[in-house]
Amino acid sequence: MENIIEVKNLAKVFGNQTALEDVNFSVKKGETFGFLGPSGSGKTTTIKILTGQLMQTAGEAEVFGVKNSSLNSGSYRRRIGVLSDNSGLYQRLSIEDNLKLYCDLYDVPRKRMDEVLELVNLADEKKKIVSKLSKGMLQRVLLARTLLHEPELLFLDEPTSALDPANSKQIHEGLRRLNEKGTTIFLTTHDMSEAETLCNRVAFLHKGKIQLLDEPMALRRQFSDGSVTVELRDGKVVNLPGGKEGAEEVYNYMSSNQVVSIHSNEPTLGDIFVEITGRELV
Amino acid sequence: MTLSWKRIYAIFQKDLKDLSKNLYVTSIFILPFLMAFLYGKMYDANLEIHYIIINLTLASVTAFIQCAVIAEEKEKHTLRGLMLSPASVADILTGKSLVSFILSVVTIVLCAMITGYEPANIVYVSIAIFISMLFYLALGTVFGLLTRTVVEASVIFLPVIFLFGFGSMLMMLVDKYPVLSFIEYLPNIQLVDFAYKVEEGAGFGELWSHLAILLAWGVVTIILAAVVYKKREIDK
């Protein structure tokens, strides 16, 4: 499949602080790619470079075959949508007025507003003044604005960080639908369940370097110790190691018809991150 | 550089609606009217008085409102949204200048009616004021882009309002200290000189040098505004 984003040996230094060091990855067309890491790991710096808001110190970044030096052209910006922590809305205007402006800037018919507001569950709130909205609603309006022009590539920087579980779920469903329609999504998050739910591949970023990059399930298998948890008829739950010893015990429980369920114990993405970096993903 | 009138109009409409709800900025709009009523009642308004009010309008309504709306876009992170849209620098800066421009025209016309200013040649005077407005719009844009918040912009812009709004008073200093003679080339002083010559019945041959100086201020400041904007597009 065609690569939409190609990043080679990317580095960014602010003064004497290294934000990114020798970062290499590519994102395929139609993929949801997760960039995972704690605050300050370089996620936002990477998005800023890929959206033409920041110049790298070294290395190459190409999106749609456009080199980083040309990533601030109008034609490129029409193809991307960016939701980041420095996105803002006009506080004194209504949700509708905010979106109308962007419909005209992107030359999108205004009926598109209703579609995106439906997607973020704000269809009935469009007359509300932005300054009166909760943090979660603001985030959903920003997401709606990002989706207005149906970008081919979405850069989402912590898109559900301020949302409650119900709204997060709805946003996830919306993003999945967009992805199914062919939108490529570059997502940064420190929410492991979000990454597992949405991403085809994830990269772990720590101290400006990519530590691991693969499919979530492949990473979980790679870091699995092969142990299983067995639930028995008498209510006991036992953890059994992988290998011959564990296999014999499972056989014994099964042959005596004591087993209710067996689950493999793959680590979560969060566990893997802690294992390779020694710190929590927050 | 491309211009999209649809985008320019969209930004203008948004600014107009936003500004109508912004009491802090619109309160500035009242200043020239207060001066016009005050001077109109107190004195038999002469050309000097008319141009104190016009220059004050250019410095406060044209430049300061422009500066405040740009600074607010930066403060609330909405300028980044415009920068990341397909709108060009020209679309954004023209769209963002239209409200200040229209408010300035309305203020100058209404204040002139209050003080009873009727120029000997309205075409020449309109051209000079229009060119001056380009300078003040660009100046407001530069200050708006360089400051981080509306409050910071207000503080930094006060000396500018004084210099260009009441600058004709500085001419007294030029008579005393010849080293300050460069003040004569400031756009506000040039505009007053231009207006006096128009009242004396001067033709284009005697007026063009003032227009050229005003235009030079305008062009240099517009280029500066575009350069600062392009620098602000990319974070450090």
Side-chain angles (χ1 to χ4, degrees), chain A residues 14 48 51-54 74 77-78 82 86-90 92-93 97 101-102 104-107, chain B residues 6-7 10 14 17-18 21-22 72-73 76-78 80-86 233-236:
Chain A
F14 295 105
K48 282 190 169 183
T51 53
Q53 300 177 66
L54 192 66
R77 285 172 178 171
R78 201 185 296 273
V82 185
N86 63 0
S87 303
L89 293 162
Y90 297 100
R92 287 181 286 269
L93 301 184
D97 286 333
L101 168 69
Y102 279 82
D104 292 343
L105 290 178
Y106 282 94
D107 209 7
Chain B
K6 186 177 181 180
R7 291 189 186 122
K14 182 275 297 172
K17 205 172 253 187
D18 200 23
K21 296 174 183 177
N22 187 344
E72 190 178 30
E73 292 262 11
K76 309 282 187 205
H77 302 295
T78 46
R80 181 57 71 190
L82 295 178
M83 285 173 166
L84 284 171
S85 79
E233 264 190 323
I234 297 180
D235 290 351
K236 283 175 192 163

Side-chain angles (χ1 to χ4, degrees), chain A residues 108-121:
Chain A
V108 169
R110 288 187 176 174
K111 68 174 186 328
R112 174 76 185 138
M113 273 194 304
D114 296 326
E115 292 169 26
V116 290
L117 286 173
E118 197 72 51
L119 185 82
V120 297
N121 202 18

Side-chain angles (χ1 to χ4, degrees), chain A residues 59-279:
Chain A
E60 287 173 28
E62 261 186 43
V63 189
F64 297 122
V66 178
K67 288 212 185 294
N68 183 239
S69 55
S70 304
L71 292 182
N72 51 9
S73 71
S75 56
Y76 172 65
R77 285 172 178 171
R78 201 185 296 273
R79 300 176 76 179
I80 64 164
V82 185
L83 170 64
S84 69
D85 57 354
N86 63 0
S87 303
L89 293 162
Y90 297 100
Q91 299 288 314
R92 287 181 286 269
L93 301 184
S94 65
I95 294 174
E96 188 179 34
D97 286 333
N98 269 275
L99 295 186
K100 265 184 196 167
L101 168 69
Y102 279 82
C103 279
D104 292 343
L105 290 178
Y106 282 94
D107 209 7
V108 169
R110 288 187 176 174
K111 68 174 186 328
R112 174 76 185 138
M113 273 194 304
D114 296 326
E115 292 169 26
V116 290
L117 286 173
E118 197 72 51
L119 185 82
V120 297
N121 202 18
L122 285 172
D124 300 329
E125 320 280 348
K126 65 180 178 184
K127 299 284 180 200
K128 272 197 175 162
I129 300 296
V130 166
S131 60
K132 307 255 187 273
L133 303 179
S134 67
K135 206 175 169 199
M137 284 169 99
L138 281 175
Q139 188 76 348
R140 284 187 280 153
V141 179
L142 284 168
L143 186 60
R145 193 185 78 184
T146 309
L147 302 176
L148 262 182
H149 59 293
E150 298 181 87
E152 291 170 59
L153 171 60
L154 266 178
F155 290 97
L156 304 175
D157 196 359
E158 309 275 359
T160 55
S161 58
L163 303 184
D164 57 51
N167 280 313
S168 292
K169 195 177 169 207
Q170 191 173 13
I171 297 293
H172 290 163
E173 281 164 11
L175 292 177
R176 249 196 306 271
R177 280 204 299 274
L178 279 169
N179 185 239
E180 279 163 16
K181 283 187 190 170
T183 308
T184 308
I185 299 172
F186 185 93
L187 172 89
T188 75
T189 184
H190 54 243
D191 179 344
M192 289 300 103
S193 64
E194 180 169 81
E196 289 201 48
T197 310
L198 294 175
C199 298
N200 302 107
R201 286 190 305 148
V202 294
F204 283 173
L205 194 68
H206 183 56
K207 292 183 178 170
K209 283 184 179 175
I210 289 184
Q211 310 286 338
L212 278 175
L213 196 163
D214 211 332
E215 293 171 12
M217 204 56 222
L219 285 174
R220 292 180 65 191
R221 280 196 208 102
Q222 186 189 331
F223 282 83
S224 169
D225 58 4
S227 67
V228 292
T229 299
V230 182
E231 188 188 353
L232 304 174
R233 292 202 184 279
D234 61 5
K236 272 198 333 198
V237 176
V238 287
N239 284 311
L240 303 174
K244 198 176 172 188
E245 187 192 338
E248 278 173 6
E249 284 199 56
V250 170
Y251 175 80
N252 290 336
Y253 285 130
M254 288 192 78
S255 54
S256 56
N257 200 24
Q258 292 184 66
V259 176
V260 176
S261 66
I262 302 176
H263 294 285
S264 56
N265 292 332
E266 292 96 0
T268 63
L269 289 181
D271 296 334
I272 299 169
F273 193 86
V274 172
E275 191 176 329
I276 61 162
T277 66
R279 64 171 286 187

